[in-house]
Each structure stands twice: as structure tokens, then as C-alpha cells.
Amino acid sequence: MPSYIQGNLALDRKRTVPAAKVKIKETTKVVYRNKSLPTQEKMLYLFTVLLCVLVAGVIIWRYASIYQMNASILKMQGEIREIQAQNSALKQEVEKLQSPDRLKEEAVRLGFNLDDDKKVSLVTPAKPKTTTSSSKNTKAASKP
């Protein structure tokens, strides 16, 4: 704003020598765009990704089934330990119930006489009568 002096706009500007013009040379650069992928290659990539997802899914499913089997095995092992503890307790009870002292007490309680230790009788089962083959044939013949 040096040309504006005390409100007078009619003053001339000082003329300056024009500066040398700089020439700028514009160059154009050719940009080559890559073509998009062909359809066959896109399909190949798609099927490859789907195959990988399928294989990963099968592997995860197998690991899940293995985990489930291990969990059921652990559960069954716990049940086996519990049943073994019950079996050992029952075996101890059977041994206690089969002790000779307890059997004598039960015999006295039920009214058996234990004083007759020398009176022992041997009981043998009766022999079955032998049948001949002719009697078998007559039985078969007598039946209509």
C-alpha cells in the first residue's frame, strides 16, 4: 500500500523492470494401470480360501470331539474310583458278616444249640434212579 498516500489514489506507481520470465517445461508422465484380475484367477483364489476354511473347520471339529471324549473318560474314571471305593467297603462288610464269632452270635440269637459239637451228621443227596433206554422209547411211543 505504498501508493496510497494521504488519501490520494491518483499517484503513479513506480515502475519496476519486469523480471525475466522463467520458462517451466511441463512433462507428462504416462501412468499404466494394472488390469484387474481375470475371473478365473479370482475363482481360484476364492476356492483356495474356501478350502482352507473347510480344512480348518474339520481340524477344529476333530479337536472338539477329542476334548469331549477326554472329558467323558475323566468322568468315567471318577465313577470307577467311586465304585471301587464302594466295592472295598462292601468287601469289608462281607468279611465282617462272615466272621466266625458273629456267626456264632447269630446262631445263638436264632436258637441253634451249639453244645452238640460231637453230634455231626452227614447228609448225602439221594441218587437218582437210572432209567433204561427202553423206558425212554416206551414213553416216546405212548405219547401220540
Side-chain angles (χ1 to χ4, degrees):
M1 301 238 195
S3 61
Y4 183 76
I5 299 175
Q6 298 174 353
N8 190 357
L9 293 175
L11 294 177
D12 269 328
R13 286 186 174 186
K14 292 181 183 175
R15 295 195 174 200
T16 57
V17 180
K21 290 186 177 179
V22 179
K23 279 191 169 183
I24 299 174
K25 184 179 179 183
E26 291 185 25
T27 58
T28 57
K29 185 176 181 183
V30 179
V31 177
Y32 294 102
R33 296 188 99 175
N34 291 336
K35 294 180 180 177
S36 65
L37 294 174
T39 307
Q40 291 176 344
E41 193 171 350
K42 287 180 187 177
M43 295 302 284
L44 177 67
Y45 291 151
L46 177 69
F47 287 128
T48 304
V49 169
L50 288 176
L51 181 67
C52 290
V53 168
L54 182 68
V55 168
V58 167
I59 290 172
I60 291 171
W61 177 74
R62 291 295 295 162
Y63 274 112
S65 65
I66 289 171
Y67 177 79
Q68 187 177 17
M69 281 189 268
N70 284 337
S72 64
I73 287 171
L74 289 175
K75 182 180 176 185
M76 285 182 195
Q77 286 176 346
E79 290 174 0
I80 288 171
R81 278 190 232 110
E82 186 178 313
I83 290 172
Q84 285 175 342
Q86 289 175 357
N87 280 345
S88 65
L90 290 173
K91 284 181 183 179
Q92 288 176 353
E93 187 176 342
V94 165
E95 288 175 5
K96 185 178 93 174
L97 292 175
Q98 286 181 347
S99 69
D101 295 334
R102 192 194 90 48
L103 290 175
K104 284 181 183 179
E105 289 174 9
E106 281 294 314
V108 169
R109 187 180 66 82
L110 292 174
F112 288 103
N113 190 3
L114 298 176
D115 294 336
D116 299 335
D117 288 337
K118 294 182 180 179
K119 292 182 181 178
V120 177
S121 62
L122 182 61
V123 178
T124 58
K127 292 183 180 179
K129 294 181 180 180
T130 58
T131 58
T132 61
S133 61
S134 62
S135 64
K136 287 182 182 177
N137 290 339
T138 57
K139 287 181 184 177
S142 65
K143 292 183 180 178

